[in-house]
Each structure stands twice: as structure tokens, then as C-alpha cells.
Amino acid sequence: MTIKGKAYIAGIYEHPTRHAPDKTVAQLHAEVALGALKDAGLGRDDVDGYFCAGDAPGPGASTMAEYMNLKLRHVDSTEMGGTSYLALAAHAAEAIALGKCNVALVTLAGRPRSEGVATGTTPRQRDPNQPEAPWEVPYGLTTANGYAMCAMRHMHQFGTTSEQLAWIKVAASHHAQHNPNAMLPEVVKVEDVVNSPLIADPLHRLDCCVISDGGGALVIVRPEIAKALKRLPVKIIGAGETVKHLSAGTFDLTTSGAARTGPIAFAEAGVTPADIKYVSIYDSFTITVLIQIEDLGFCTKGAGGKFVADGNLISGVGKLPFNTDGGGLCNNHPSNRGGMTKIIEAVRQLRGEAHPAVQAKNCNLALAQGTGQQLGTRHCSATLIMERE
Amino acid sequence: MAEARKIPAPIVTVETQAFWDAARAGRFVVPICAACGKAHWYPRAVCPFCASEKIEWQNASGRGTIYTYSVMRRAREPYVIAYVTLAEGPTMMSNIVDCDIDAVRVGQPVSVVFKETENGPPVAMFKPA
């Protein structure tokens, strides 16, 4: 059993807002849902499967299903942090392959910017039943210093430099200049990144992603429906998901769950990294991108610093165009969850609808990769490979 | 002089009461499985390696080396978070304290020191050995 060729992404929508004090989270979910359905050429009553994650208000999917008045025969509210939507897209393909639904809707929305959440530099609230909490909370673990420890170890082990990490931000900024909705459309140089203030050594302010409101949605359908619609169909051909954790104290912080999910997804798709024309890589921080690129096999472990340097991730310049919307580093990071926009930009690339200045040539195969939660402790990884027909 | 960082009290559970009792007595203990002989971290009642429930608390050397670290600058008082690989095997999250925060290095030898928390048992931190 495989999902290869069993489901197509027929509709996408990215909310243009980056700051939404005048809207509720539920309203944003509904707006992106309707936007993606319109893009697909379908209506709300066509939806029979709904997929959402922890950003959706209320427990699981019931609150948003009621708000949008959906009539469903399949529901999935798997929570994997910021990478949830890559896994949910695969789950939607699985459900379609099994005949559990025909038209799957996946939504994401949130307002951390309007709500004033100090996302990355203060400890997150924990459920007191989380068994790891007493062993992490007293030490002041935050999102930023957790990822920073991965970067510090990578530098120690492989000689990776701050300048090499900076190239990831530089590439994202080259793409963001063409995105009218991007929060940070200014092109930056390596010196700008390494001279920005240190947040958590060795990560500087410009190594960190933005905090934004917004959201996005996908409509995933069975092949017969996709072929009857006007949009260029984008086929889901491979996926993988996993959890990587501290393994009872025997871990390696220089690798991510992508080292497992990449090979699983490539095997299902029957393609190799060399076949991929465009990648969306979750970029909560620059180091997140570097580690995932290595783990997916675009270069060997430890060679990521050299690989990303000198514009190799810039569309039209380098070998591996990435995050051509500007990514989380420059465009947006709705609900502090970057997985949804990774899929959306990959679909734009496959449709040939990316901005002409950043459109990858002959883009028939794209990969979206995400890690959710905390790279420095435990995280989920999901990989999704898509093909233009 | 900036105000010292307040250390939140750890939540003490029935599963790990013995660790915190030892900490209050100034002893650093690690959980070791009587069935497979391996030490693990963070402490739990079921061995994560062999699934035995025969977990014993053993006095640890308190010695380790820094696996990685980061100086958190975006705080009222900068502090060093780190992972320390214990002589007993597992690597644990901690803070590096009683040191020049700009002189901390990966691979540096460290030794345990207990630090008071807000209304809770002391927690294990490390200082340069």
C-alpha cells in the first residue's frame, strides 16, 4: 500500500495578512479554508474530510468543524507542532487512498503577533504531567537556546561557521524581495546577519524567523476529482513522518528526524535528492535548514555549511532553490508553525505560479520538509514529495 | 549588578521523589537499571533501554564534559544552558554556573553543584572542573 499517485493537491491559499488584530483565529481558519476551496474550484459542501492541528481553537477538530458548519465523514487532528500540516497532507492522501474521504481540507491559522507572544526567548508553558519538564524548565530552556545548542554542536563537530549559516538568511531575503506580503523584504548580506545582536550563542537575531499572524490551507482530492478541475494537478508521491528525541540521554544534536523521514519519502516516491528541482525547508532558524538539508541527503552530514554558502540556495543562482516565498526567515510564520506555507510554496513552484524572478526551471518535482516542536530536545519531522503531472 | 536569574522549582513526582530527596541531602544520583546495567536520563520508573522496572538510584561521580551549550543573551541576566555528558554515560540538560560565561567551551570538563530553586528542591548544575 502506498499513497503514491492516490491523491492530489487541488487547492492552496496563503492568507495575505501578517498582523491581524481585527480577526479571530477561528475566522482566519475559515478564511483560509474558503480561499483554498475557491482556488480548487470547489465549494464548502464538497468537503468530507477535515484535518487540523494544535493551532485550531478548541479540542481537536470539532470546534472548527462546527464554526465552518462542515459535514464530515473523516477527521484527523494529529498534533506535530509546526510540521503537522506536512503529515496531515500525507494523512489526507492515506484517507483518500482508503476511500475514507474524497475532498480533504487542511487548515492552519494563528495570531501570535497580535497576541504578543514572546515566542522564542521565554520558556514555554508545560503540562505538569510532561515527565521531562522538571529536567528542563529549571534550566531556562527556550526555543532559541535549544536550537542554538544544535548549532553550537554542529560548529564544534564539523567546523560550520556563522557566516555559512548567514547564507541561508541571505538566500531567503533574496527571495522575499519579490514577495509583496513578506514581513522582511529587504535583501541582507552575510555581514548584516553576523553583526546582528546575539540572541542565544551562536544564533543572531537574523538567524531567527519572524513572528507573524496569518494562516494557510490545502484542499486534497482523489485523482478523478483533480483531473476534472481546472487547476494544474499536483500529485503527492511520497511521505514520511517520525519523532526524534533524546533517546534516554544518548542523542546526537547534529541530526534531525529528517534523516529518517527523508529516506522513507524518497523510497515511496521512487526518486532521489538529485531529482528534486525545488525544496521548501522549515526555517525556524538558519541551523534548522542546514541540518535538514544534510539529513535529506542533498549533501553529506557535516558538509551543509559549504553547501549553503555562496548563494547555493538562491533561485536562479544556486543548485538548490529553497523557500522562494522568503520562508519563515523573511516572509511569515503563522501561528509559529511553518509547515503549511512550505507546502503552499512548493505547489506554486510545481504549478509554475511562483514569482517569475524565483520560479525554478522545469520544476516537476518538489520536496517540502518540516520539523515541529524543539530540535534541541524532541521534535516531529515530516517529509512530503510532490510531482507535477 | 543585574538581578540573578530565579530558578523555577522542578515539579517533584512520585516517580522521581528519591532523586530530589538525595538532592536535598547534597547527593547527585543517577538512575541505573539493575537488569541491563545502563544509566539513563531523564530519570523514569521504566528502563528506556530494556523496559525493566528495576531502577536503582546510584551515587554519581558528579563529573562530566560539556556536549554543547548556548549563552542566552535575551534575558535579564545572561545564563548558560548546556548538555553535559556524565561520566556514567547519559547526557543531561543543565546550566553552567560559577564561571565566566564567555569562556565556556564544548568538551570542557565540569563538576556538579546544586543550586537553590524557588520553593523547591535544589537542581543539579555544573561548574568548570
Side-chain angles (χ1 to χ4, degrees):
Chain A
M1 188 75 191
T2 175
I3 58 168
K4 186 174 181 177
K6 303 286 176 59
Y8 287 71
I9 300 175
I12 54 169
Y13 185 75
E14 178 188 350
H15 206 294
T17 191
R18 300 292 179 264
H19 189 218
D22 55 335
K23 293 181 189 293
T24 66
V25 172
Q27 188 180 4
L28 289 168
H29 271 273
E31 288 181 2
V32 295
L34 295 173
L37 285 163
K38 187 180 174 193
D39 181 60
L42 291 166
R44 186 199 50 179
D45 291 342
D46 295 315
V47 175
D48 62 352
Y50 179 53
F51 298 71
C52 64
D55 56 285
S62 50
T63 294
M64 284 314 305
E66 178 182 57
Y67 183 97
M68 295 190 279
N69 201 17
L70 301 175
K71 295 169 184 66
L72 304 170
R73 63 188 187 100
H74 192 80
V75 177
D76 184 334
S77 53
T78 303
E79 168 56 14
M80 293 193 187
T83 197
S84 300
Y85 319 94
L86 293 122
L88 289 173
H91 295 185
E94 291 165 16
I96 289 168
L98 289 169
K100 300 292 184 186
C101 60
N102 293 314
V103 176
L105 171 68
V106 190
T107 66
L108 153 85
R111 309 189 317 146
R113 191 176 173 197
S114 290
E115 291 165 9
V117 181
T119 305
T121 53
T122 53
R124 289 198 176 191
Q125 289 294 318
R126 305 249 196 153
D127 172 353
N129 284 323
Q130 280 182 266
E132 75 280 4
W135 315 101
E136 294 175 1
V137 172
Y139 302 121
L141 175 70
T142 66
T143 303
N145 61 14
Y147 281 76
M149 285 195 286
C150 300
M152 190 68 84
R153 182 69 199 184
H154 203 283
M155 290 177 165
H156 171 80
Q157 206 162 318
F158 301 114
T160 308
T161 66
S162 288
E163 287 73 14
Q164 289 170 335
L165 286 177
W167 270 108
I168 295 166
K169 168 74 175 186
V170 170
S173 77
H174 271 267
H175 300 148
Q177 66 178 317
H178 305 294
N179 182 349
N181 294 323
M183 276 182 73
L184 303 175
E186 303 83 14
V187 173
V188 299
K189 298 187 177 79
V190 167
E191 307 87 87
D192 299 325
V193 182
V194 299
N195 292 330
S196 66
L198 277 167
I199 300 294
D201 301 10
L203 298 179
H204 303 80
R205 189 160 63 85
L206 296 190
D207 287 299
C208 308
C209 68
V210 301
I211 295 172
S212 79
D213 301 342
L218 310 171
V219 175
I220 300 173
V221 302
R222 54 189 316 115
E224 308 88 272
I225 298 172
K227 281 160 191 174
L229 297 171
K230 287 178 186 165
R231 282 302 205 171
L232 194 72
V234 168
K235 183 162 63 175
I236 294 174
I237 60 169
E241 64 188 57
T242 193
V243 176
K244 180 180 178 273
H245 50 69
L246 296 176
S247 302
T250 61
F251 53 89
D252 170 6
L253 280 191
T254 67
T255 67
S256 72
R260 291 205 72 186
T261 60
I264 292 168
F266 279 120
E268 184 169 38
V271 300
T272 69
D275 299 320
I276 301 294
K277 304 293 187 354
Y278 166 81
V279 291
S280 285
I281 307 276
Y282 198 169
D283 53 347
S284 47
F285 299 88
T286 51
I287 185 64
T288 324
V289 175
L290 185 133
I291 286 178
Q292 290 174 101
I293 281 178
E294 292 176 344
D295 290 340
L296 291 168
F298 290 105
C299 63
T300 56
K301 177 52 66 182
K306 279 182 187 160
F307 183 84
V308 302
D310 303 323
N312 202 33
L313 302 178
I314 300 175
S315 188
V317 175
K319 286 183 184 157
L320 188 67
F322 101 122
N323 297 5
T324 42
D325 59 342
L329 289 168
C330 296
N331 178 21
N332 64 346
H333 195 215
S335 192
N336 300 321
R337 289 160 175 263
M340 175 63 77
T341 43
K342 297 294 163 289
I343 304 171
I344 290 174
E345 183 66 6
V347 172
R348 289 194 194 108
Q349 282 284 353
L350 290 168
R351 287 177 173 177
E353 291 177 359
H355 190 283
V358 297
Q359 175 66 49
K361 281 181 191 149
N362 307 316
C363 189
N364 63 327
L365 272 173
L367 179 149
Q369 166 63 37
T371 48
Q373 298 154 355
Q374 166 65 272
L375 205 64
T377 57
R378 58 205 65 80
H379 63 269
C380 295
S381 171
T383 308
L384 189 69
I385 302 178
M386 294 152 279
E387 182 178 26
R388 184 190 64 206
E389 286 227 310
Chain B
M1 184 74 187
E3 194 181 328
R5 184 171 68 94
K6 287 180 179 164
I7 300 162
I11 295 168
V12 177
T13 68
V14 289
E15 209 176 338
T16 55
Q17 179 75 49
F19 178 90
W20 302 111
D21 289 345
R24 285 187 198 275
R27 285 190 302 119
F28 179 56
V29 294
V30 297
I32 291 185
C33 175
C36 74
K38 285 186 185 168
H40 69 264
W41 196 266
Y42 61 88
R44 54 202 93 168
V46 180
C47 176
F49 298 113
C50 77
S52 161
E53 293 185 38
K54 292 175 187 162
I55 303 297
E56 294 173 354
W57 297 97
Q58 206 167 89
N59 282 330
S61 65
R63 297 194 175 280
T65 56
I66 297 174
Y67 171 77
T68 188
Y69 72 96
S70 175
V71 182
M72 185 63 192
R73 307 279 173 184
R74 213 36 92 82
R76 188 178 292 178
E77 174 80 350
Y79 59 94
V80 184
I81 192 167
Y83 277 112
V84 172
T85 302
L86 302 174
E88 288 74 16
T91 300
M92 65 175 280
M93 184 180 292
S94 191
N95 293 133
I96 308 301
V97 295
D98 304 341
C99 65
D100 172 3
I101 62 171
D102 293 315
V104 173
R105 293 294 174 261
V106 174
Q108 192 175 352
V110 289
S111 62
V112 76
V113 54
F114 280 103
K115 292 290 177 183
E116 292 303 318
T117 61
E118 290 185 289
N119 304 314
V123 292
M125 297 188 176
F126 291 83
K127 61 179 182 180

